[in-house]
Amino acid sequence: MNEPHPLIFQTILWLRVNGILKSFDIFLCWQTGRPEENMQGLIALRSSPCFLHSCPRYSNTKHLVSTPRCSLRKRSTSSLRSTLPSISLSLFGSGFFLGPLIDGLHSRVNLVVYQNGSIDIGPLHTNIWVPPLLGLFYCSVGLLQLFLDQRAPSKVPEGSPEKTAIALVALLLFIELSAEMYRAGIADNIEAYILFALAELIWFYLDRTWIGFTLASIIGLCCPLAEIPIMKLFHLWYYPQANIEILGQGLVTWTTTCYFVYTPFLISLSRWLRSMITPPNKSA
């Protein structure tokens, strides 16, 4: 029996792996020309969704255009799981040590005043609970971003120290600007308009993805609300010039923009740590 052209086989393979064709199982394995291997190839074909290597004749990678998507996803997921403790510890450590220093830009102008557990380390005014809380914040947002990257339909950008440094500088300048505007006594609504506009510009420059914008918006809204039970129950800090009250607790409205700008930095940081900790992919 004459063999079909290899291009026909490649087309059928592509259609089958994408779930378009369902009835070419016997045809693909029968064309191997080896009757004793037909049944084995058919069984392997039926038992696995990633079947491109199941037929003996077409197990050579030179016949394939690309690696099956299911294999890539399984490999990427297993790689993230194996490095999850190291990435989590690195993110938590970054938040534990770096977070209070950034937060100190606001506490030095008395935007936030610490109460129970407050400590002063030179010019830094903070609280003994701030480092672990910010470590948890870094770890939660970073791991959430990596989880979303695993399920992204397209290739996600690789992290790099350059991108992370740029995002960190943008965050520091933004926090410093907000602190100086607060100390200068600029009206809350004017400061809010300026910071909201700058936050969107920073997102557009650093990220430009709708999933990044959505994540930053959720974090910007949820994190100030998460401060309410901490302030109300444990009295760790308060805002002396709050301009909005929620559940009997005062907040400053434009702090949502600070959390918003924090998100692109944490996205870059988590991707950079993943690229450093995850071993290089060794595929044939």
Side-chain angles (χ1 to χ4, degrees), residues 66-86:
S66 60
T67 306
R69 289 176 296 177
C70 46
S71 297
L72 288 174
R73 179 159 295 185
K74 288 180 180 178
R75 186 185 309 151
S76 178
T77 302
S78 61
S79 176
L80 179 61
R81 288 177 180 175
S82 63
T83 57
L84 190 61
S86 299

Side-chain angles (χ1 to χ4, degrees), residues 145 148 203 207-219 260 263-264 267 271:
Q145 180 59 49
L148 295 175
W203 162 80
D207 190 84
R208 292 190 199 182
T209 64
W210 286 115
I211 186 65
F213 184 87
T214 302
L215 181 62
S217 300
I218 293 174
I219 292 173
F260 184 97
T263 307
I267 291 175
R271 288 174 174 170

Side-chain angles (χ1 to χ4, degrees), residues 73-269:
R73 179 159 295 185
K74 288 180 180 178
R75 186 185 309 151
S76 178
T77 302
S78 61
S79 176
L80 179 61
R81 288 177 180 175
S82 63
T83 57
L84 190 61
S86 299
I87 296 176
S88 301
L89 183 60
S90 299
L91 286 170
F92 184 87
S94 300
F96 190 93
F97 293 104
L98 180 61
L101 298 178
I102 299 176
D103 180 71
L105 297 176
H106 276 167
S107 61
R108 69 180 177 83
V109 297
N110 291 325
L111 170 68
V112 57
V113 176
Y114 291 106
Q115 297 174 287
N116 295 340
S118 63
I119 55 174
D120 294 334
I121 305 176
L124 176 63
H125 307 292
T126 186
N127 188 289
I128 58 175
W129 290 104
V130 167
L133 287 173
L134 288 176
L136 182 62
F137 170 63
Y138 275 51
C139 186
S140 301
V141 177
L143 293 182
L144 176 59
Q145 180 59 49
L146 296 182
F147 175 82
L148 295 175
D149 287 347
Q150 289 293 319
R151 283 148 183 79
S154 58
K155 182 177 176 61
V156 298
E158 288 293 332
S160 68
E162 293 79 11
K163 293 180 180 178
T164 306
I166 293 174
L168 176 59
V169 170
L171 173 63
L172 292 173
L173 292 177
F174 186 88
I175 298 295
E176 177 66 18
L177 175 63
S178 66
E180 291 301 325
M181 293 174 67
Y182 175 83
R183 182 162 61 177
I186 296 177
D188 291 328
N189 59 337
I190 301 299
E191 183 170 1
Y193 292 146
I194 296 173
L195 294 179
F196 271 101
L198 287 177
E200 293 184 10
L201 287 176
I202 291 174
W203 162 80
F204 184 79
Y205 177 76
L206 296 176
D207 190 84
R208 292 190 199 182
T209 64
W210 286 115
I211 186 65
F213 184 87
T214 302
L215 181 62
S217 300
I218 293 174
I219 292 173
L221 291 174
C222 292
C223 286
L225 296 178
E227 293 185 25
I228 294 177
I230 297 176
M231 293 187 291
K232 202 172 185 65
L233 298 177
F234 304 103
H235 307 287
L236 298 183
W237 64 79
Y238 71 97
Y239 294 95
Q241 297 187 28
N243 58 4
I244 187 174
E245 186 173 302
I246 300 177
L247 300 178
Q249 196 66 49
L251 296 173
V252 177
T253 53
W254 52 259
T255 56
T256 59
T257 63
C258 300
Y259 286 108
F260 184 97
V261 177
Y262 232 123
T263 307
F265 164 65
L266 294 179
I267 291 175
S268 299
L269 177 63

